[in-house]
Amino acid sequence: MLASLIDQRLGAAGLRSVTRSNLGSAVIFNALVAGDVDAYVDYSGTIWTNFMHRTDTPSREIVLGEMSAWLKATYGVTMLGPLGFENAYVLAMRRDRAASLGIHSIEELAAASPRLAVGGDYEIFARPEWKALRNAYGLAFRQERQMQPIFMYKAVADGEVDAITAFSSDGRIAELDLLTLGDPKQAIPPYDAVLLIAPRRSADAAFIAALKPLIGRISILRMREANLLVSREEGQAPPEEAARRLWQEIAGQ
C-alpha cells in the first residue's frame, strides 16, 4: 500500500514509476543503494539492528538522527524523513487469555512462556529483535510457529497460539481486541516508518518535491485504518484504493 502511495504521488507530479513488491528488506535495501530502486519505506528498528548491528535501544530521536547520518555517510542514501507512524513488533494476546493468566507485560509472559505457544511471521524468529527479546526476558516458549500474518492473527484469535509477534500499525489489533504487552525493559527498538531515497535521486528536486508531502503526515490511527481496509475478511480494498483513500485524508488535513 505504501508503494502504491509513493507511485500515485509520483504520477500526480508527472513522473512515471514502476512498483516492485514482495522483496525482503535486505534485497530492497541493496537495490536502493545500487540505484535499482529509487525510493522505499523501511523501519528505523530494522536498519538499526539488521544493518547497523546496534544492540542498544536509545530514544527515538537518537535512533533517527544517528541512522540518518549513517545511511548518508555509508551508502549515500538520504532519509527524507519519518512518515509519522511506527510499525513496531509487539507481543499481543487475546485479552481474555491474558487476563486468565494475569499477563500484562512481556516480563509476565516470560514466566508463563514454557507452557505457551507463540506465532510469528516467517522472518521474526531469525531476526536480531527476537534474540534481544529472548535475552532480555528469558522467553522460552513451548512452541514457536511460523505463519503468514493473515493466519497469525486468526490463530491467536481462535486460541491456536497464546501470543503473536504482531505489528503495532495493524488494524487487526483493534478489530480483534488484542492486548499488546508492555516492554518495560525496552528491548524492542523504535520502528518509525522512514522514506529512503537512492543516492542517484538525492538531488532530483522534482522527485523529492513529489514525496515530501508524505513526511510526518501519516498517523498511527490512519495507518491502522488503511491496513484494515486491505486485511479485513470482508469487503477488502486493493492496496491502490487504500492508498488513494489515505492520501485523501492526508490532503484534507
Side-chain angles (χ1 to χ4, degrees):
M1 181 177 53
L2 291 174
S4 293
L5 182 59
I6 291 171
D7 180 55
Q8 290 168 17
R9 290 301 86 218
L10 292 172
L15 303 174
R16 296 180 61 186
S17 62
V18 175
T19 60
R20 296 182 179 179
S21 58
N22 300 319
L23 300 177
S25 57
V27 172
I28 197 169
F29 182 81
N30 290 333
L32 184 82
V33 172
D36 296 325
V37 169
D38 293 300
Y40 88 105
V41 175
D42 209 332
Y43 298 91
S44 56
T46 297
I47 296 170
W48 188 258
T49 58
N50 289 19
F51 298 110
M52 296 175 69
H53 303 295
R54 296 284 292 265
T55 57
D56 53 327
T57 54
S59 69
R60 170 172 283 103
E61 292 74 19
I62 290 175
V63 168
L64 288 172
E66 293 191 16
M67 181 187 73
S68 178
W70 179 83
L71 286 168
K72 180 61 85 172
T74 308
Y75 295 107
V77 169
T78 298
M79 187 186 83
L80 195 58
L83 295 179
F85 72 93
E86 184 183 20
N87 188 38
Y89 279 110
V90 290
L91 286 177
M93 299 181 68
R94 206 168 73 181
R95 194 173 296 274
D96 60 345
R97 177 62 169 154
S100 70
L101 296 171
I103 293 173
H104 304 87
S105 70
I106 301 174
E107 199 162 36
E108 292 168 339
L109 176 66
S113 62
R115 309 190 307 273
L116 306 178
V118 64
D121 64 51
Y122 287 121
E123 287 189 354
I124 182 60
F125 297 125
R127 287 176 66 109
E129 296 94 329
W130 186 248
K131 181 179 179 181
L133 273 175
R134 280 202 323 253
N135 292 344
Y137 292 104
L139 293 170
F141 286 96
R142 170 178 60 80
Q143 183 183 30
E144 294 178 359
R145 293 183 56 185
Q146 292 178 303
M147 57 190 77
Q148 293 180 6
I150 189 172
F151 300 123
M152 182 175 73
Y153 287 90
K154 190 175 187 307
V156 75
D158 292 346
E160 294 177 18
V161 295
D162 301 285
I164 58 170
T165 57
F167 305 103
S168 62
S169 69
D170 200 307
R172 285 168 290 193
I173 291 176
E175 182 187 31
L176 299 172
D177 190 31
L178 300 182
L179 175 69
T180 58
L181 304 181
D183 177 17
K185 297 184 179 181
Q186 296 183 317
I188 303 174
Y191 277 82
D192 289 284
V194 292
L195 184 52
L196 304 183
I197 305 298
R200 70 172 187 160
R201 293 293 181 188
S202 60
D204 188 331
F207 187 85
I208 298 296
L211 299 180
K212 194 76 172 176
L214 298 176
I215 301 304
R217 304 289 293 281
I218 307 176
S219 68
I220 184 65
L221 179 59
R222 281 201 172 104
M223 198 62 205
R224 281 177 179 167
E225 290 173 348
N227 278 332
L228 187 56
L229 280 176
V230 299
S231 63
R232 59 192 181 190
E233 291 189 11
E234 295 183 5
Q236 283 186 11
E240 297 80 8
E241 176 60 25
R244 276 191 290 272
R245 294 191 197 181
L246 183 56
W247 173 252
Q248 287 170 359
E249 291 193 8
I250 293 170
Q253 281 183 331

